[in-house]
């Protein structure tokens, strides 16, 4: 039968379904088979031939027919899984049912009255025969999920058959050990099967259906409660699914082994269409959704040094019930870590290759999913995190992240990408090794719209952060605290900053310490505290190599004197705020000598008008995101958080930070009738007295007269002589006793777990356009907005 005929027949069946007012019996196979038996319709056809309005009409007007359609389609998948899909006809039925369910499920999820439907048992659909079958009938959702899992390891359909000859004995589906059929070599599996286009396409369709099952989460509004568990994911990743381990491994290996270059030959992708990419994308999306797990509410496996003969570490306690999270947290072999890290780094670097060898490789689009996966790996598997930081390989992750951050800074539709990039860097910056690694010289010249500099990866990081703060869009302001916390965390380890970078840091201090900026919100002064902490760490712990920074501090010494003499009287406060009304631009780029940008770079562009984006929940404040620890002499960390009481909204007291609780803040500042916050003299005094200026003032007191003397004696206007003097100078014994190093480490919290959930599903919603699985359905987890 031609494809036009089969489309026509399928469309006729759909029309019959939507026009029938009477329930159709489940036993009426002649009617139901029209939907899957004799048709060969692509998933795109199914979406075109089953319009949304008609699905909703059947749902409202003849609900029993919609229920029967779903039940019959699931039944066909179960039968296919049982029989092993040997004939072409059976394979076609499975694919047709799979496409139909992918089309219909979102409309079941969007209606609260239908939400329990898949979790109810269907009469007569028992597991065993006989009278008492309804006792142990499975909910429809469970039957569907188990059938998908079986079908993903179905010889000659989704995996290579191991039988040499196709004599009668096909592999028995029930005795088949799916661990021998893992899709790709990598973690826990050494054999790389022959690539097979048909198998890849079939896997992809089944994974799309699986992802659609999991997407019920999109139809619940964001709330801490809704966050706990997704029943679909919970069941699929439980011991009920006998394929959980091989499937987890297949998904992970398929993603990490993918090389979009086309077998290492540039421009090869222009000759061969790459059919692997759609499967890799689908695998990445399914993987991050199965790993959506709030680690704050559950126990995670202990990290002990035991290694076992298996790819998974046999840790006690057994860890989370979700087997995918469990397996991920127990990977422990060096070669597995290497495989994962190299794979993710290779894929993240792909868009950067594009910029200096245009079209040489196929450009991948799933970097956001990869960043979520990398985050999950580091968050759930501390051994992996330590492995990443053990060598300079971490820089292969850092550079792409900085590239994305810089590139997306002006684009409102990519706020989510900015956040996840910054979260990953915050997590890494809590480890001493990250700061140490940043001292490696930066020589790769990825064209980026930033000033040219000669220096290290630390310079790259600070120059990009400066660019984000001074020329990103307004919606990024909540990230400033995070960006500066990262710089504070790495600052004690930075051996030598370039002059470009030193000037950028002082430009930020200048911008943040203007009176109108300090007085315009209750939080802005924190940014000044962070920057002073950076300067203090470098002066106390890395003075020797940092003559550029010391020189910049001397040149801009006025800023520090200005801070020390900050006015606190009401007329001055009033005057500062008046100035603000006249100059709304928050951070001028005056005062920052912007050097020429790198060759070949394009300026960061705003989103095209009309670009779709999904809304995100607010992220927790820096005090909820991080926990303060003090670095002891031997390099170990000691938490400074009070044990019992929950931390106040302002973070816990430390001499380097303003630390009123909200109560004091309210008392010290007045909120006018309009609800507008306004600063008071008491409020300014309360934090001005805590500004950690002693070290810098002492440095200026010692060095400024010496530098001035050189200038007068030698009639110098030449920087190099002064820098030479500062390089050989020393402040040993002249500075205050070094303060202990404070690190603010990321700590898991339900706020970020919720943020990741909305971000991840938003990415999946927007990326699935062909077919548009969720478009125009009533999602509740986020709003769809146009820029």
């Amino acid at each position: 039968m031609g494809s036009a005929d089969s489309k026509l027949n399928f469309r006729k069946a759909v029309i019959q379904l939507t026009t029938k007012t009477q329930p159709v019996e489940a036993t009426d196979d002649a009617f139901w088979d029209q939907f899957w038996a004799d048709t060969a319709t692509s998933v795109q056809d199914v979406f075109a031939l089953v319009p949304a309005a008609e699905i909703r009409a059947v749902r409202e007007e003849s609900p029993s027919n919609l229920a029967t359609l779903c039940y019959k389609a699931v039944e066909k998948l179960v039968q296919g899984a049982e029989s092993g899909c040997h004939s072409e006809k059976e394979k076609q039925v499975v694919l047709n049912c799979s496409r139909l369910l992918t089309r219909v499920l979102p409309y079941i999820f969007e209606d609260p009255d239908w939400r329990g439907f898949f979790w109810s048992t269907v009469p007569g659909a028992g597991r065993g025969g006989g009278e008492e079958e309804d006792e142990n009938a499975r909910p429809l959702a469970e039957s569907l999920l188990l059938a998908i899992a079986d079908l993903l390891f179905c010889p000659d359909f989704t995996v290579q058959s191991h039988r040499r000859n196709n004599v009668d004995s096909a592999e028995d589906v029930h005795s088949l050990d799916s661990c021998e059929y893992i899709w790709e070599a990598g973690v826990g599996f050494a054999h790389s099967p022959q690539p097979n286009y048909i198998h890849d396409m079939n896997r992809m369709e089944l994974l799309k259906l699986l992802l659609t099952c999991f997407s019920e989460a999109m139809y619940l509004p964001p709330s801490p409660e809704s966050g706990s568990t997704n029943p679909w994911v919970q069941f699929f990743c439980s011991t009920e699914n006998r394929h959980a381990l091989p499937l987890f491994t297949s998904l992970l290996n398929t993603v990490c082994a993918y090389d979009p270059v086309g077998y290492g030959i540039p421009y090869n992708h222009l000759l061969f269409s790459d059919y692997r990419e759609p499967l890799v994308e689908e695998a990445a999306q399914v993987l991050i959704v199965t790993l959506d797990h709030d680690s704050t509410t559950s126990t995670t496996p202990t990290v002990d040094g035991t290694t076992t003969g298996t790819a998974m570490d046999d840790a006690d306690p057994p860890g989370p019930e979700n087997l995918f999270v469990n397996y991920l947290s127990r990977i422990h072999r060096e070669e597995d870590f290497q495989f994962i890290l190299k794979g993710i780094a290779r894929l993240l670097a792909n868009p950067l290759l594009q910029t200096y060898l245009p079209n040489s490789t196929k450009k991948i689009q799933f970097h956001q999913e990869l960043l979520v996966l990398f985050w999950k790996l580091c968050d759930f598997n501390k051994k992996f995190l330590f492995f990443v930081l053990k060598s300079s390989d971490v820089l292969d992750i850092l550079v792409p992240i900085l590239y994305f951050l810089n590139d997306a800074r002006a684009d409102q539709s990519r706020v989510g990408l900015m956040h996840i990039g910054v979260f990953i860097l915050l997590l890494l910056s809590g480890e001493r090794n990250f700061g140490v690694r940043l001292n490696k010289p930066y020589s790769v010249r990825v064209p980026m719209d930033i000033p040219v500099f000669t220096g290290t990866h630390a310079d790259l990081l600070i120059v990009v952060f400066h660019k984000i703060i001074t020329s990103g869009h307004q919606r990024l302001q909540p990230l400033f605290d995070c960006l500066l916390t990262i710089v504070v965390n790495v600052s004690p380890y930075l051996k030598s900053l370039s002059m470009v970078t030193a000037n950028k840091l002082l430009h930020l201090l200048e911008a943040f310490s203007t009176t109108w900026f300090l007085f315009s919100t209750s939080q802005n002064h924190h940014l000044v505290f962070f920057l002073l902490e950076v300067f203090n760490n470098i002066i106390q712990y890395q003075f020797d190599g940092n003559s550029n920074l010391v020189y910049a501090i001397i040149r801009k010494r006025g800023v520090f004197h200005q801070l020390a003499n900050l006015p606190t009287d009401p007329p001055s406060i009033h005057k500062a705020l008046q100035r603000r009304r006249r100059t709304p631009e928050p951070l001028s780029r005056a005062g920052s000598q912007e050097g020429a940008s790198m060759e070949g770079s394009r300026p960061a562009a705003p989103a095209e008008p009309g670009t779709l984006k999904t809304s995100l929940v607010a992220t927790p404040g820096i005090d909820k995101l991080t926990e303060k620890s003090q670095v002891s002499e031997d390099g170990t960390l000691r938490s400074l958080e009070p044990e019992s009481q929950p931390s106040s909204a302002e973070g816990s007291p430390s001499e380097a930070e303003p630390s009123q609780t909200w109560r004091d803040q309210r008392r010290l500042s007045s909120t006018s009738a309009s609800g507008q916050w306004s600063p008071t003299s008491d409020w300014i005094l309360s934090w001005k007295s805590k500004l950690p200026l002693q070290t810098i003032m002492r440095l200026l007191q010692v060095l400024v007269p010496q530098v001035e003397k050189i200038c007068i004696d030698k009639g110098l206007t030449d920087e190099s002589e002064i820098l030479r003097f500062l390089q050989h100078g020393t402040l040993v014994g002249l500075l205050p006793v070094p303060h202990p190093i404070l690190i603010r480490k990321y700590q898991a919290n339900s706020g970020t777990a919720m943020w990741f959930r909305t971000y991840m599903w938003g990415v999946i919603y927007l990326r699935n356009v062909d077919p548009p699985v969720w478009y125009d359905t009533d999602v509740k987890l986020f709003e769809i907005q146009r820029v």
Side-chain angles (χ1 to χ4, degrees):
M1 184 169 58
S3 91
D5 295 344
S6 89
K7 277 187 212 177
L8 195 64
N9 291 350
F10 180 74
R11 181 66 193 134
K12 279 185 193 154
V14 174
I15 293 170
Q16 285 179 8
L17 181 69
T18 50
T19 49
K20 279 191 193 295
T21 45
Q22 294 306 306
V24 184
E25 287 300 319
T27 48
D28 183 353
D29 284 335
F31 175 75
W32 296 112
D33 281 351
Q34 303 177 89
F35 289 95
W36 37 75
D38 343 301
T39 59
T41 42
S42 70
V43 68
Q44 285 76 11
D45 293 337
V46 170
F47 272 69
L49 299 172
V50 187
E54 294 182 16
I55 304 175
R56 289 190 175 113
V58 176
R59 187 182 71 196
E60 305 312 319
E61 287 145 37
S62 38
S64 73
N65 287 345
L66 182 61
T68 307
L69 178 73
C70 291
Y71 160 60
K72 294 293 284 185
V74 172
E75 185 183 56
K76 288 288 168 199
L77 290 180
V78 170
Q79 285 167 4
E82 287 287 309
S83 72
C85 280
H86 297 305
S87 67
E88 284 311 307
K89 190 173 161 67
E90 282 175 289
K91 292 174 181 163
Q92 197 55 58
V93 167
V94 163
L95 291 172
N96 287 338
C97 291
S98 178
R99 290 161 187 165
L100 193 60
L101 285 167
T102 301
R103 180 60 174 143
V104 171
L105 275 168
Y107 297 91
I108 301 242
F109 294 152
E110 74 176 359
D111 183 338
D113 295 341
W114 277 79
R115 215 157 275 147
F117 168 70
F118 269 89
W119 295 96
S120 56
T121 50
V122 178
R127 300 179 198 182
E131 290 305 297
E132 74 290 358
E133 63 182 2
D134 288 339
E135 303 282 285
N136 57 7
R138 273 197 186 280
L140 201 52
E142 294 188 5
S143 303
L144 171 56
L145 290 170
L146 293 175
I148 296 172
D150 281 337
L151 288 164
L152 285 167
F153 291 100
C154 185
D156 287 325
F157 180 52
T158 49
V159 291
Q160 214 75 51
S161 170
H162 288 186
R163 289 290 154 107
R164 287 283 166 271
N165 49 4
N166 287 350
V167 197
D168 51 14
S169 64
E171 283 130 307
D172 176 26
V173 198
H174 299 283
S175 61
L176 172 137
D177 176 5
S178 45
C179 284
E180 294 172 12
Y181 291 84
I182 289 169
W183 301 349
E184 186 57 74
V187 176
F189 195 65
H191 168 67
S192 187
Q194 266 313 108
N196 183 313
Y197 173 70
I198 309 285
H199 294 175
D200 276 1
M201 297 318 282
N202 294 342
R203 292 163 176 174
M204 191 196 79
E205 301 237 27
L206 289 164
L207 290 178
K208 198 175 282 301
L209 172 57
L210 186 58
L211 194 60
T212 309
C213 292
F214 294 161
S215 72
E216 185 178 10
M218 282 197 213
Y219 299 89
L220 303 168
S223 77
E225 298 71 63
S226 71
S228 49
T229 44
N230 175 333
W232 295 85
V233 171
Q234 189 179 14
F235 179 80
F236 190 79
C237 298
S238 72
T239 48
E240 293 274 348
N241 177 1
R242 71 187 181 103
H243 304 293
L245 178 60
L247 187 60
F248 167 76
T249 315
S250 293
L251 295 172
L252 183 64
N253 292 354
T254 298
V255 172
C256 294
Y258 177 55
D259 185 358
V261 174
Y263 315 103
I265 307 163
Y267 301 98
N268 204 16
H269 71 289
L270 301 174
L271 305 177
F272 301 98
S273 77
D274 178 359
Y275 56 81
R276 196 89 215 231
E277 186 177 18
L279 173 67
V280 176
E281 290 203 359
E282 212 69 52
Q285 292 178 359
V286 168
L287 199 50
I288 60 178
V289 170
T290 53
L291 296 170
D292 175 20
H293 173 79
D294 184 351
S295 55
T296 52
T297 55
S298 66
T299 57
T300 44
T302 55
V303 176
D304 55 0
T306 58
T307 47
T308 54
T310 62
M312 304 304 160
D313 197 348
D314 295 333
D316 279 323
E321 307 254 287
N322 175 328
L323 291 178
F324 280 39
V325 174
N326 198 324
Y327 296 144
L328 185 85
S329 66
R330 289 180 14 220
I331 297 171
H332 64 100
R333 289 179 183 167
E334 296 260 315
E335 59 268 34
D336 291 341
F337 287 158
Q338 189 63 33
F339 164 75
I340 294 169
L341 180 58
K342 278 275 181 277
I344 292 177
R346 177 178 59 242
L347 292 170
L348 286 178
N350 166 275
L352 286 61
L353 287 173
Q354 292 297 323
T355 52
Y356 50 90
L357 279 179
N359 303 325
S360 61
T361 63
K362 186 180 162 106
K363 186 163 188 178
I364 63 160
Q365 302 294 336
F366 57 99
H367 49 275
Q368 300 191 87
E369 293 92 322
L370 288 167
L371 290 172
V372 175
L373 177 60
F374 182 76
W375 168 269
K376 300 276 179 200
L377 278 157
C378 292
D379 196 23
F380 295 152
N381 190 325
K382 287 298 169 252
K383 287 183 180 171
F384 177 75
L385 176 63
F386 299 144
F387 177 84
V388 169
L389 293 164
K390 205 171 68 173
S391 73
S392 52
D393 288 352
V394 65
L395 303 176
D396 297 337
I397 300 284
L398 170 75
V399 172
I401 289 178
L402 291 175
Y403 173 86
F404 294 132
L405 291 178
N406 189 55
D407 189 55
R409 68 175 192 264
D411 183 341
Q412 296 238 353
S413 69
R414 294 199 281 168
V415 180
L417 171 62
M418 297 293 295
H419 276 78
I420 184 165
V422 172
F423 282 157
I424 289 172
L425 298 183
L426 179 66
L427 180 71
L428 295 174
S429 76
E431 306 298 330
R432 174 181 176 276
N433 261 353
F434 182 64
V436 174
R437 299 282 159 233
L438 291 179
N439 290 309
K440 187 175 175 179
Y442 177 66
S443 50
V444 203
R445 287 285 169 245
V446 177
M448 283 165 83
D449 175 26
I450 51 172
V452 179
F453 66 90
T454 304
T456 65
H457 284 75
D459 292 299
L460 177 68
L461 177 126
I462 293 170
V463 167
V464 168
F465 284 10
H466 173 270
K467 200 78 168 164
I468 293 168
I469 290 170
T470 57
S471 65
H473 56 81
Q474 287 279 275
R475 306 260 315 273
L476 298 178
Q477 254 179 326
L479 279 177
F480 290 3
D481 274 348
C482 262
L483 291 169
L484 291 187
T485 297
I486 294 165
V487 180
V488 173
N489 281 347
V490 300
S491 61
Y493 311 110
L494 304 182
K495 293 197 180 337
S496 166
L497 294 179
S498 72
M499 190 59 93
V500 171
T501 310
N503 287 333
K504 296 296 177 211
L505 285 172
L506 279 135
H507 173 242
L508 288 180
L509 184 70
E510 260 182 303
F512 290 153
S513 57
T514 59
T515 47
W516 70 258
F517 185 78
L518 283 173
F519 298 169
S520 59
T521 79
S522 64
Q523 302 288 321
N524 282 351
H525 60 278
H526 289 197
L527 300 171
V528 169
F529 277 80
F530 285 138
L531 284 166
L532 291 175
E533 205 176 327
V534 170
F535 297 143
N536 288 339
N537 281 341
I538 293 178
I539 292 166
Q540 289 280 19
Y541 292 99
Q542 298 290 348
F543 179 81
D544 285 353
N546 274 298
S547 50
N548 289 330
L549 182 66
V550 173
Y551 178 64
I553 288 173
I554 291 173
R555 274 192 42 218
K556 294 282 184 186
R557 57 189 177 275
V559 184
F560 299 96
H561 291 298
Q562 205 183 310
L563 273 172
N565 301 314
L566 199 66
T568 55
D569 56 298
S572 301
I573 297 175
H574 181 70
K575 203 168 117 192
L577 295 174
Q578 285 309 104
R579 193 174 318 143
R580 170 177 175 235
R581 301 221 164 77
R582 288 200 300 279
T583 54
E585 177 64 16
L587 290 170
S588 72
R589 288 185 266 314
S592 164
Q593 298 77 24
E594 275 298 313
S597 274
M598 294 176 64
E599 221 176 305
S601 65
R602 288 189 306 274
E608 293 288 321
T611 306
L612 287 181
K613 65 189 187 74
T614 53
S615 62
L616 292 161
V617 292
T619 50
I622 194 73
D623 52 293
K624 295 271 186 297
L625 265 181
T626 57
E627 173 183 57
K628 282 207 207 68
S629 305
Q630 195 171 309
V631 181
S632 320
E633 296 290 310
D634 60 358
T636 53
L637 288 180
R638 187 169 62 82
S639 172
L640 292 179
E641 299 293 326
E643 279 302 304
S644 52
Q645 71 203 60
S647 70
S648 65
E650 284 288 294
S652 58
S654 87
E655 74 282 88
E657 253 184 279
S659 58
Q660 274 76 36
T661 53
W662 282 114
R663 229 180 13 260
D664 298 349
Q665 283 277 16
R666 284 280 166 277
R667 191 168 47 78
L668 292 171
S669 59
S670 57
T671 306
S672 60
S674 66
Q676 182 99 44
W677 180 87
S678 71
T680 64
S681 299
D682 284 352
W683 172 75
I684 298 168
L685 282 165
S686 72
W687 55 260
K688 178 185 165 181
S689 60
K690 297 196 183 76
L691 284 166
L693 287 164
Q694 307 82 323
T695 301
I696 294 170
M697 288 310 193
R698 183 77 185 118
L699 172 137
L700 292 172
Q701 194 188 352
V702 173
L703 293 180
V704 170
Q706 297 180 337
V707 170
E708 282 175 342
K709 184 170 180 318
I710 296 177
C711 293
I712 294 161
D713 289 354
K714 305 208 172 170
L716 273 183
T717 48
D718 180 20
E719 291 187 351
S720 57
E721 186 81 22
I722 300 167
L723 283 168
R724 203 166 315 131
F725 161 72
L726 292 173
Q727 270 162 8
H728 299 299
T730 172
L731 291 176
V732 174
L734 297 172
L735 292 178
V737 176
H739 54 282
I741 296 173
L742 274 188
I743 299 286
R744 292 171 185 79
K745 282 176 83 94
Y746 168 80
Q747 55 171 354
N749 60 82
S750 47
T752 26
M754 192 66 237
W755 184 89
F756 269 96
R757 182 169 305 120
T758 53
Y759 169 61
M760 170 182 80
W761 279 113
V763 168
I764 291 171
Y765 176 96
L766 291 173
R767 300 254 301 103
N768 282 274
V769 283
D770 182 26
V773 182
W774 299 281
Y775 270 46
D776 295 329
T777 59
D778 188 13
V779 294
K780 293 280 194 301
L781 185 61
F782 44 76
E783 288 167 29
I784 292 93
Q785 303 158 335
R786 283 190 186 277
V787 174

